[in-house]
Amino acid sequence: QQQVKQSPQSLIVQKGGISIINCAYENTAFDYFPWYQQFPGKGPALLIAIRPDVSEKKEGRFTISFNKSAKQFSLHIMDSQPGDSATYFCAASSYSGYSTLTFGKGTMLLVSP
Amino acid sequence: DVKVTQSSRYLVKRTGEKVFLECVQDMDHENMFWYRQDPGLGLRLIYFSYDVKMKEKGDIPEGYSVSREKKERFSLILESASTNQTSMYLCASRRFGTGGGSYGYTFGSGTRLTVV
């Protein structure tokens, strides 16, 4: 089974700090790497995504860093806010329309006031 | 503006019952998916469908089946519910096209199923 390994399982960050979540994948055919954010009682929602032709993508306070040679990618949340407290999932798939997403196991982020 | 609707938020069923979980999307998406979410295990793919009448097994299809008679509706069926199928079930849809693997999934809010 193709895996995406996510760490840490949980994370506590002070307001204003940087939250960092890491993921590693095995399948070199993966070339699409999204992050999903899930609030309690809701389904996951697409937060940001990257393809391996770039090493970094930034959207507001959220940045994905991608290291193709190491087969790793990470999510950085700058100036973390209590409203960012949620579960974050990394995922990976090939670019093909016939692909499906393989998800990491998730990281519960708590941003303390 | 709800896009993917799962018919029940909470469901309690007895062991051995046949259970139907319904999912409807209003975005005219070709692809639909059923995942289950368990603490510490993340999201695991049960079944998916590329289009009407089509279905493919995911990573954990045992004990489940699906039906897609109409484009907007994708049903997950537990043939004989067991306690180890107690979980959060998430339905998602995605449009299909060139580079379709990069189109984001739209998830429903989930159905929390308890089998007693």
Side-chain angles (χ1 to χ4, degrees):
Chain A
Q1 182 176 348
Q2 301 160 353
Q3 289 186 343
V4 176
K5 295 181 179 179
Q6 183 172 347
S7 63
Q9 192 171 8
S10 62
L11 182 62
I12 300 175
V13 173
Q14 286 197 329
K15 179 181 176 182
I18 302 173
S19 304
I20 302 174
I21 305 171
N22 300 298
C23 284
Y25 63 98
E26 300 171 354
N27 188 346
T28 54
F30 288 157
D31 58 2
Y32 170 65
F33 305 92
W35 285 88
Y36 282 77
Q37 180 187 56
Q38 184 182 30
F39 293 108
K42 301 288 187 181
L46 180 63
L47 182 63
I48 187 173
I50 196 168
R51 294 204 65 211
D53 51 341
V54 295
S55 60
E56 186 175 283
K57 183 174 182 179
K58 184 176 181 179
E59 289 184 3
R61 296 184 293 107
F62 300 90
T63 300
I64 299 179
S65 297
F66 183 78
N67 185 329
K68 187 174 181 178
S69 61
K71 293 188 287 185
Q72 295 175 347
F73 58 110
S74 60
L75 177 69
H76 295 235
I77 306 174
M78 312 300 288
D79 187 27
S80 298
Q81 299 297 312
D84 298 329
S85 297
T87 299
Y88 292 82
F89 293 95
C90 63
S93 76
S94 72
Y95 199 57
S96 162
Y98 292 98
S99 66
T100 62
L101 283 173
T102 298
F103 285 87
K105 293 184 177 181
T107 296
M108 291 183 61
L109 171 66
L110 177 64
V111 181
S112 59
Chain B
D1 56 340
V2 176
K3 306 286 189 184
V4 177
T5 303
Q6 294 184 233
S7 55
S8 304
R9 288 300 303 273
Y10 299 95
L11 213 52
V12 180
K13 295 293 182 181
R14 294 195 180 276
T15 301
E17 276 193 76
K18 190 169 187 176
V19 181
F20 293 85
L21 302 184
E22 305 289 345
C23 176
V24 176
Q25 52 97 1
D26 63 1
M27 296 167 287
D28 201 34
H29 285 173
E30 291 81 4
N31 300 167
M32 295 189 75
F33 308 85
W34 276 105
Y35 284 85
R36 64 177 282 177
Q37 181 177 8
D38 300 287
L41 297 178
L43 280 72
R44 294 180 291 167
L45 182 62
I46 305 171
Y47 265 96
F48 59 104
S49 169
Y50 291 126
D51 212 330
V52 180
K53 305 284 188 179
M54 299 175 71
K55 59 184 179 182
E56 299 286 339
K57 292 180 180 180
D59 299 318
I60 52 165
E62 296 78 19
Y64 304 94
S65 63
V66 290
S67 173
R68 188 141 181 230
E69 296 297 317
K70 294 184 178 181
K71 189 175 185 179
E72 67 271 17
R73 185 179 297 270
F74 192 34
S75 303
L76 179 69
I77 304 158
L78 285 66
E79 297 293 342
S80 178
S82 64
T83 55
N84 63 12
Q85 292 178 311
T86 292
S87 186
M88 170 69 82
Y89 290 88
L90 290 164
C91 174
S93 70
R94 178 186 70 185
R95 73 181 174 100
F96 178 82
T98 302
S102 67
Y103 298 142
Y105 286 24
T106 300
F107 281 91
S109 293
T111 295
R112 184 166 294 282
L113 173 67
T114 302
V115 182
V116 298

